[in-house]
């Protein structure tokens, strides 16, 4: 009898988590943005847009559908824009996905998710990371293998331009004395 109660309790918690991911992805994405902005060496902390910013909420929503029983890959169902930057490279993607994974797993634990939910979350994020990195490599080398799990949205290359303004530090002058 206890095992039957445990199974129904697990099912109820999984349903709560799936509904939260589907209906309130903005709460997790807000946490993710704060984490990415707080990372001292992230591109976002220097004012550059993140590569995953436009797709975090749709991906979380699709992950909720997976937790509710949908069989196909949430990454393949995600309809959003993935911005890839050859300048930033794969390290930036890994960092952004790592922060997203932490947010998703933390939300799962807080809402009572167990090993089954954590496994689904980790599998979905692994597929997304592998796919995004393969797409980035393919951008650099068209002969590289494509992603094993295709992305369901639009992939664009994000070009970052250096600032055109010349910065002169105040202590280095042009040889002239300032007159006040």
């Amino acid at each position: 009898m206890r095992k039957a109660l445990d199974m129904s309790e697990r099912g109820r918690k999984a349903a709560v988590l799936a509904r939260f991911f589907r209906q309130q992805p903005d709460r997790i994405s807000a946490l993710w943005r704060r984490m990415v902005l707080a990372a001292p060496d992230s591109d976002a902390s220097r004012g550059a847009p993140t590569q995953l910013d436009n797709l975090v909420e749709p991906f979380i929503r699709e992950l909720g559908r997976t937790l509710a029983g949908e069989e196909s890959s949430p990454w393949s169902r995600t309809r959003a824009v993935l911005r890839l930057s050859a300048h930033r490279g794969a390290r930036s993607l890994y960092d952004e996905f790592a922060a997203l994974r932490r947010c998703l797993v933390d939300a799962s634990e807080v809402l009572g998710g167990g090993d089954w939910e954590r496994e689904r979350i980790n599998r979905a994020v692994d597929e997304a990371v592998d796919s995004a990195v393969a797409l980035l490599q393919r951008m650099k080398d068209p002969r590289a293998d494509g992603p094993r799990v295709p992305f369901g949205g639009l992939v664009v290359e994000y070009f970052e331009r250096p600032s055109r303004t010349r910065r002169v530090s105040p202590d280095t002058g042009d040889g002239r004395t300032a007159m006040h």
Side-chain angles (χ1 to χ4, degrees):
M1 182 69 175
R2 180 70 184 151
K3 184 168 180 120
L5 290 175
D6 289 342
M7 291 301 288
S8 66
E9 180 68 17
R10 192 194 71 70
R12 187 187 66 71
K13 287 181 178 182
V16 167
L17 182 61
R19 188 172 45 254
F20 179 76
F21 278 18
R22 284 190 328 265
Q23 294 176 354
Q24 298 181 20
D26 55 313
R27 294 181 69 185
I28 298 172
S29 66
L31 176 60
W32 171 78
R33 283 182 185 89
R34 284 192 297 273
M35 285 181 69
V36 171
L37 287 171
D41 51 341
S42 77
D43 295 309
S45 67
R46 292 187 289 272
T50 64
Q51 296 179 84
L52 305 181
D53 196 39
N54 295 321
L55 66 81
V56 170
E57 288 180 23
F59 179 66
I60 294 169
R61 199 172 284 117
E62 293 302 328
L63 184 54
R65 288 181 54 202
T66 295
L67 294 174
E70 179 76 34
E71 293 295 324
S72 60
S73 167
W75 185 246
S76 293
R77 292 190 316 262
T78 300
R79 303 289 183 250
V81 176
L82 171 60
R83 266 188 300 228
L84 296 177
S85 170
H87 174 73
R88 294 183 197 181
R91 178 81 263 150
S92 178
L93 278 172
Y94 285 125
D95 292 344
E96 289 183 33
F97 274 114
L100 179 58
R101 182 188 311 266
R102 281 192 303 270
C103 292
L104 293 167
V105 169
D106 287 351
S108 173
E109 289 175 5
V110 166
L111 294 171
D115 293 337
W116 185 86
E117 291 80 12
R118 190 175 320 107
E119 177 187 325
R120 296 298 180 281
I121 290 168
N122 283 322
R123 182 183 311 148
V125 175
D126 287 343
E127 287 176 350
V129 171
D130 292 346
S131 176
V133 170
L135 288 166
L136 180 64
Q137 288 172 344
R138 188 128 194 213
M139 251 178 24
K140 293 178 181 179
D141 179 11
R143 294 171 292 167
D145 291 336
R148 189 174 45 82
V149 177
F151 176 56
L154 176 67
V155 179
V156 297
E157 183 172 3
Y158 182 71
F159 293 99
E160 298 174 272
R161 298 181 190 152
S163 174
R164 294 198 185 274
T165 59
R166 189 174 142 226
R167 301 183 106 191
V168 178
S169 63
D171 58 332
T172 60
D174 58 2
R176 295 182 288 174
T177 306
M179 297 183 64
H180 298 287

